[in-house]
């Protein structure tokens, strides 16, 4: 795998795990390598899809374990929308 592909994968993975410092670093590396922003956006979008899928499966698993609906209710104003 070349350096270009590694940075695209790293940018997507950073988005998937919500790591802001890593994402900032890998976006800068993508810029340094001259990677087109549309390609970077596509990689980050894949990471975000992985993140959403994992969050949904985790919520399902917690609901199975606890036997109840979980998650924020309403339009709260606290951390993460709670």
């Amino acid at each position: 795998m070349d350096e270009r592909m590694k940075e695209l994968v790293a940018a997507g993975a950073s988005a998937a795990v919500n790591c802001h410092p890593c994402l900032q670093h890998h976006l800068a590396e993508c810029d340094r390598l001259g990677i087109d922003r549309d390609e970077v956006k596509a990689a980050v979008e894949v990471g975000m899809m992985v993140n959403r899928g994992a969050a949904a499966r985790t919520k399902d698993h917690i609901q199975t374990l606890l036997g109840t609906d979980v998650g924020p209710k309403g339009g709260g104003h606290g951390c993460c929308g709670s």
Side-chain angles (χ1 to χ4, degrees):
M1 181 182 307
D2 65 8
E3 187 177 8
R4 182 182 171 287
M5 185 59 66
K6 286 180 185 177
E7 287 304 328
L8 287 169
V9 170
S14 298
V17 299
N18 299 316
C19 185
H20 297 203
C22 290
L23 184 57
Q24 186 172 353
H25 169 79
H26 292 297
L27 291 180
E29 286 299 301
C30 286
D31 287 344
R32 182 183 68 77
L33 292 169
I35 300 172
D36 183 77
R37 274 294 167 140
D38 286 337
E39 288 185 89
V40 176
K41 287 177 186 177
V44 168
E45 286 171 3
V46 170
M48 292 170 64
M49 288 188 308
V50 170
N51 178 282
R52 285 190 300 273
R57 297 297 77 75
T58 297
K59 182 177 178 181
D60 291 347
H61 184 63
I62 290 169
Q63 286 180 216
T64 298
L65 293 172
L66 298 177
T68 185
D69 191 22
V70 295
K73 304 287 189 247
H77 303 286
C79 177
C80 301
S82 59

